[in-house]
Amino acid sequence: MRRGIARETKLRAMGEKRAYFDHAATTPLDLRVLEAMMPYLAGAGWGNPSSIYAEGREAAKGLDLARRRVAELLNCRPAEVIFTAGGSESDNLAIRGAAHGNRRRGDHIVTTAIEHHAVLHAVERLEQEGFRATYLPVDGEGFVDPGSLERSLTGDTTLVSVMYVNNEVGTIQPIAETAALVKQRARRIVFHTDAVQAADYLDLDVERLGVDMLSIAAHKLYGPKGVGALYVRQRTPLQAQLLGGSQERSRRAGTENVAGAVGLATALELAVRERVTRAAHVRELRDFLLGAIPADLARRLPSNLSLCFEGVEGEPILVNLDLAGMSASSGSACTTGSLEPSHVLTAMGIDEDTARGSLRLALGKDNTMEDCQRLVAALPEIVERVRRLQPSYRLAAERSAASSAGR
Amino acid sequence: MRRGIARETKLRAMGEKRAYFDHAATTPLDLRVLEAMMPYLAGAGWGNPSSIYAEGREAAKGLDLARRRVAELLNCRPAEVIFTAGGSESDNLAIRGAAHGNRRRGDHIVTTAIEHHAVLHAVERLEQEGFRATYLPVDGEGFVDPGSLERSLTGDTTLVSVMYVNNEVGTIQPIAETAALVKQRARRIVFHTDAVQAADYLDLDVERLGVDMLSIAAHKLYGPKGVGALYVRQRTPLQAQLLGGSQERSRRAGTENVAGAVGLATALELAVRERVTRAAHVRELRDFLLGAIPADLARRLPSNLSLCFEGVEGEPILVNLDLAGMSASSGSACTTGSLEPSHVLTAMGIDEDTARGSLRLALGKDNTMEDCQRLVAALPEIVERVRRLQPSYRLAAERSAASSAGR
């Protein structure tokens, strides 16, 4: 083991490429995306899109084109696309904007226990403001039961938010069916889906999905950090959350991040165009990993492999993988540093100790079979080593030895 | 005139540099700033700063360094700097965050009639939520009367927000004295200043200014669009507005825009380092323009020249300047397209017709004397031409001719 790490450290020092297995946390910027952004960073498109003169018009042209491309890829109208500063802002605008925008119609919101914190904490804030909320439970695989969703809907329900793909475990909710179920009950209920993790691999056609709002983020798609978008179906009442100038049809104030919007549009276009090849590629790698590390994968994103090692904490595994030149995560990156076990895993009924031993592998388009072979070669040794060094395991082993001796 | 425009159009077609006089709307990205950002766009710093492995640590290092540089330049602690998506978000977070964060202490907010809409509309939203607000008037030069500020403060006042430099007319409020006056009344009143327009030329030392919160935006400083910062003095109660992950010490959720933060820090550092030369340069150019176009300039930003032409609308002047290869604005860029006269000019007591004829020249570090000579040569002809073609002027001239004839 030690020899293995020493070899990896040496290889890293020699500039060997690291193996990155955390594409659900963020992705490297695709150089084709950066190239598309450059005219709006260092070229002629640097103006303020609200200005009427040449520099402003050039910037506005880039922003309009980006909006039209995103709209085409989502199968919606350009005016239905709001550019934001990222997935969290998209989620916040969707949840808070629709709840407050529909307040006179009702005060009840339905979401699930496994949403990203950008949705969960926004709903919790609404509860503090006098709204009522239902957090739907999920089954052991992380799926929402349609029956419990149906029973949760009341005459006061104005908003339902169900994530498309879970960021930790990669389960895919049947959004089209879920939205249809809600709309069948009452067309006026606004249906939102957080598609931040889905955008790379799944259909984002808002008509086929039947959703009223959909959130995406560029940096999960090999695009830049700091930019996202929210699709909002026309005539959906939405209260702006960021106030000031009349940008984005007065739904989101602030000078537009033109380069970012162009980056998002380009990243999304590449993702849609290369979706089939990217999915086939990560699925092949994932299936290889599966051969070495079995898990149940029904209705999971092809890029995701979420594992739990009993009696082992996730963090030391990550540290050892890192030393060996490999990057992976335990639970969501946004809660790193927190000692809480993942709210997603505990909602799935996994006990806290096991949840602490979770390992998330999120593959990406640039991963190679060599990366995966490296992981498969290193992981069993690392898990075994961490298990041996862990106080709780040692304690349990000693107890077991003591009780054996006592018998 | 026509010949002049034809010549300009020809020169533009030949690639002649345009003259840009709208640095208050936005500024071109300084290539030194872009260079500092590149490692976080296309280099080793692309990871998620919340991740514990090498790519994440590299990103976190860049973010931390950016935060420490901004803190040093503002003379505060790194933990007191919150990175945002821009000036509007900084203002919204300051106003809504402090009002809600201090609600149990009181419900009264004081601001001025000439703030940016990011402040004004945020305060108006608070009024809808049950807060009370006072909008201080300004004098004919755009200055707040200290007496009226003093009289506005009550036992329920929790927040005062006064902008450092007005974006339309460039007037500089005496922030240190204003903050001191408020703090003398009650230390617990939170004092915020929108320093978005001030950052290029004025002192941003939060200790010398005595402010509790201060907003800046990168793209007004030759930095990238889509990133800003809010200084928040430690122990200032602040309710987060963007909810989700625990980034920015749980005061602003969302994966950090690392390249943007590095860009902001670099842009601010260059601005502070080059402040004296930049200010001297634009002052010289401004003084040259003043010789040709007289105006009163006491306590104005050295880069700003705000003019009103009686009986002439601003927009056709801008269109004609644009055709002649020059970019300027009328009122704030954020309200372009709106038929409303500027709220700043009307607050200064300028009548609506005159306000509609406003022209804002905002100089920048890369403007040349040649740019200004070009403007001085073209402007009188353009104003005269627009005046002649304008229906209201023609109508007034006809009426005047008719009444003369009648006498």
Side-chain angles (χ1 to χ4, degrees), chain B residues 201-280:
Chain B
Y201 299 109
L202 303 180
D203 184 21
L204 296 181
D205 184 316
V206 296
E207 288 307 322
R208 277 201 294 266
L209 291 172
V211 299
D212 300 309
M213 301 193 290
L214 178 143
S215 305
I216 55 173
H219 80 102
K220 310 287 191 189
L221 288 170
Y222 308 91
K225 290 176 181 58
V227 61
L230 179 67
Y231 156 74
V232 182
R233 189 179 292 275
Q234 62 178 348
R235 287 190 288 274
T236 303
L238 188 83
Q239 186 201 55
Q241 297 302 302
L242 218 170
L243 306 170
S246 53
Q247 291 91 350
E248 302 293 315
R249 297 175 169 240
S250 295
R251 292 166 304 179
R252 198 272 186 187
T255 299
E256 302 90 336
N257 177 358
V258 183
V262 170
L264 170 59
T266 309
L268 188 62
E269 192 166 49
L270 290 169
V272 171
R273 194 197 299 160
E274 300 173 3
R275 186 172 281 160
V276 176
T277 27
R278 286 188 195 179

Side-chain angles (χ1 to χ4, degrees), chain B residues 182-196:
Chain B
V182 170
K183 291 292 179 179
Q184 209 176 326
R185 179 67 168 262
R187 285 220 63 78
R188 58 162 187 80
I189 300 178
V190 178
F191 191 93
H192 168 251
T193 189
D194 172 349
V196 167

Side-chain angles (χ1 to χ4, degrees), chain A residues 12 18-20 22 25-29 31 34 37-38 40-42 45-55 57 85 88-89 92 96 116-119 121-122 125 128-129 219-220 224-226 239-247 252-258 315 318-319 322 326-329 333-337, chain B residues 12 18-20 22 25-29 31 34 37-38 40-42 45-55 57 85 88-89 92 96 116-119 121-122 125 128-129 219-220 224-226 239-247 252-258 315 318-319 322 326-329 333-337:
Chain A
R12 264 177 61 206
R18 289 176 58 89
Y20 182 75
D22 202 13
T26 196
T27 55
L29 187 59
L31 293 180
L34 181 59
M37 293 168 67
M38 285 308 286
Y40 304 93
L41 288 171
W46 59 268
N48 188 323
S50 297
S51 304
I52 66 167
Y53 44 73
E55 293 89 344
R57 291 196 305 272
S88 291
E89 193 194 331
N92 274 248
R96 295 184 54 74
H116 189 276
H117 282 134
V119 167
H121 291 342
R125 171 71 60 84
Q128 290 165 19
E129 292 168 358
H219 81 102
K220 309 285 191 192
K225 291 176 179 58
Q239 186 201 56
Q241 297 303 302
L242 219 170
L243 307 169
S246 52
Q247 290 92 349
R252 200 272 184 182
T255 299
E256 301 91 337
N257 176 0
V258 183
E315 195 163 309
L318 302 187
V319 171
D322 182 36
M326 287 173 274
S327 304
S329 85
C334 302
T335 53
T336 297
Chain B
R12 264 178 61 205
R18 289 176 59 90
Y20 183 74
D22 202 14
T26 196
T27 55
L29 187 60
L31 293 181
L34 181 58
M37 293 167 68
M38 285 309 284
Y40 303 94
L41 288 172
W46 60 267
N48 187 323
S50 298
S51 304
I52 66 167
Y53 44 74
E55 293 88 344
R57 291 196 306 272
S88 291
E89 193 194 331
N92 273 249
R96 294 184 53 75
H116 189 275
H117 282 134
V119 167
H121 292 341
R125 172 69 60 85
Q128 292 164 17
E129 292 168 357
H219 80 102
K220 310 287 191 189
K225 290 176 181 58
Q239 186 201 55
Q241 297 302 302
L242 218 170
L243 306 170
S246 53
Q247 291 91 350
R252 198 272 186 187
T255 299
E256 302 90 336
N257 177 358
V258 183
E315 195 163 309
L318 302 187
V319 171
D322 182 34
M326 286 173 277
S327 304
S329 85
C334 301
T335 53
T336 297

Side-chain angles (χ1 to χ4, degrees), chain A residues 265-278:
Chain A
T266 309
L268 188 61
E269 192 166 48
L270 290 170
V272 172
R273 194 197 299 161
E274 300 173 1
R275 186 171 282 160
V276 176
T277 28
R278 286 188 195 179

